[in-house]
Amino acid sequence: MPDKVIVLRDSQTQAVEARFRVKYAELLNPAQLEAVRHRDGPLLVIAGAGSGKTRTLIYRVARLIESGVAPGAILLLTFTRRASQEMLRRVEELLGDQARGVAGGTFHSFANLMLRRFGAALELKPNFTILDRSDMEDVLNLIRTRMGLASRDRRFPKKNTLAEAISMARNKSRELKNEIELDFPHLIDSQAEILKIADEYATYKRARGLLDYDDLLSRLIDLLRDHEAVRARLAGTYRYIMIDEYQDTNLVQAEIVRRLGAGQRNVMAVGDDAQSIYSFRGANFRNILDFPELFPGARVIKLEENYRSLQGILDVANEVISRATERYTKVLFTQRRGEMRPLLVRAQDEHMQSRFVAQRILELREEQVALDEIAVLFRSSFHSFDLELELQARDIPFVKRGGFKFIESAHIKDVLAHLRVILNPSDPVSWLRILMLLPGVGHRTAERLLEMIANADDPLRALGAVIAKHGRGGAAAATGSQLSATLSQLRTEAIAPANQIAMVLEYYLPLMRDAYPDDYPRRQRDLEHFQTITGRYRSLQSMLADMALEPPNDAVGNVLAVEPEEGCVTLSTIHSAKGLEWRVVFLIWAADGRFPSPLSVAPEAIEEERRLMYVASTRARDELYISYPIQMFDRALGYVPGRPSRFLEHLAPETLPAAILEEAPETTGDT
């Protein structure tokens, strides 16, 4: 550790410390203590994973109050209200009533309060209404419909896509036109209409006293920029500003901090550049790197002692992040004792990877490791599809965080509906779903067609004639004829489920592109992966039976093989796992082409993927297993060799030893 963080316990220091009720020097490590003792001037604390950043923030608030700073002069900004409340509660535990009055909350809650107090300067009435994201989307959809852009005859971005583009432009401080060109190029053809919708949306809000979440921040910037008297008053009130998770701030939030702290300059930013992983929400990695430029003369303190993980796990994390092109240099270390090393598991294929994880979880349970102390992490939600089936087959309860389960996704349901009517032509739910995909067919028309099909002796054979006679125009009739031919072929040919899905996809993908124009590439990747999973089956009936099992959601499923008090295994995207920790962590699909994501091609995107790997590895306390299949399915090329993620290739065998699983995968169901 740097010499500068060593505390010299001379008589003067002891005399100073004796004045404080809290024994800071006994409760904090040297680096934390240095940050807590810092009084005036800008301070950047680079807090490595598991290094006690929350503890550092809490004790600095307490120290300031004990030093004579009025609680109301301290502003603590966080990203969740729960985090703010928990920190302030712990400060009160340290100091009692003396600590009451500290201002704390999220950026948005702080902006809301300030705009209601001082918004008259911006001609805002204090009773303005705040639109949440759903409200925002509904207003945009109303405007979209009024402009005649909601017709099914034309592919136009849906309300959630419009909201995402408009919001992202504001969070990145960009003109909407530039944001579309840079981050939403597939919307270029609709750019003129989107810009008009955005203008109408702004007018609609102004006329009705409405602000959305992004308005709260942007209007606060307007207030601080254009009304110096108000800015000076706020800066004089909040003389000490602290920001948690500073690496997650966007440009607007960083500007708020700069303007509030410009006078006193008593700004403390706490965060970890290596955990900046939310650019898709507008977070700007450069904010934490450029903090010393934003506040010249800023002191930088690094928290490197980790209280979570064994050293072997930290060695992997340190090596992964050491290759980052831009970073604050730090090396995590721990005083914890333990020789367990992380393991790189090379599985023969995806199903073998799933079997390894499930089997090791069962072994851990026998070793008295509670299931809720185990997590499986992955880069993208669909990476866990095969594992979900394996865990279900072994009666291992789990909860999934981040993304939708594949069986709940509309496009997966669409494909399954086509296969279900092959086995059960009287299935009305699947028929309605299929018929409503036809061009120009809504729910009422689909019900009328279904009634005619259901009354036929052979619904599959009657389909083509019914649609041709009663369909709504040529497009529906033509597509209906193609649907009839596809279903007839599926029924008459004895082919494997994976090949049946391939036939459905040939028919369905053009419809999916029209139904989901905003994100069809992602949905198509989901379907390709789903097709790989079904390759394990030879029987359509057994495959559909497995898929019909009630999929786990955000609660434990009806698994009777384990005791309720065991809890359940957590399956999570890495993004959803940030800030959490488990005793044992499995990181699956750590293969190049999957992690980093194939969509991450720009250098800055690759660097964020590297940080994701760092975040994933530092979630583990005692055991870390990183796995990938050495045979991966590619729709165009078939099975191709898998290789470890580029972020792991340079790791020495002593840092990340490897094991190879080669036995043939077991079958599931009637395969």
Side-chain angles (χ1 to χ4, degrees), residues 256-298:
I256 290 172
V257 172
R258 185 185 74 82
R259 291 185 179 276
L260 280 176
Q264 304 285 349
R265 300 182 76 249
N266 296 326
V267 176
M268 176 187 182
V270 181
D272 185 3
D273 56 300
Q275 297 187 69
S276 179
I277 60 173
Y278 294 121
S279 64
F280 67 94
R281 296 180 186 169
N284 193 302
F285 173 64
R286 295 229 54 90
N287 282 353
I288 194 166
L289 294 182
D290 295 343
F291 184 86
E293 297 179 17
L294 197 66
F295 292 96

Side-chain angles (χ1 to χ4, degrees), residues 528 531-532 589 594 631-640:
E528 291 170 1
Q531 186 178 2
T532 303
W589 275 107
R594 298 292 194 278
Q631 290 187 50
M632 303 195 309
F633 182 79
D634 181 275
R635 189 179 182 193
L637 303 175
Y639 280 94
V640 297

Side-chain angles (χ1 to χ4, degrees), residues 534-562:
T534 58
R536 295 162 46 188
Y537 297 88
R538 290 198 301 269
S539 162
L540 178 61
Q541 185 172 16
S542 64
M543 189 271 285
L544 289 177
D546 276 1
M547 298 302 163
L549 296 173
E550 183 177 355
N553 46 34
D554 286 342
V556 181
N558 291 326
V559 181
L560 304 179
V562 296

Side-chain angles (χ1 to χ4, degrees), residues 623-671:
E623 298 182 34
L624 173 64
Y625 300 93
I626 303 176
S627 64
Y628 72 97
I630 58 178
Q631 290 187 50
M632 303 195 309
F633 182 79
D634 181 275
R635 189 179 182 193
L637 303 175
Y639 280 94
V640 297
R643 51 181 288 186
S645 168
R646 67 191 69 179
F647 307 132
L648 303 173
E649 285 186 320
H650 66 279
L651 269 64
E654 56 269 23
T655 300
L656 187 63
I660 301 177
L661 305 178
E662 294 184 334
E663 66 260 34
E666 295 175 354
T667 58
T668 300
D670 183 14
T671 62

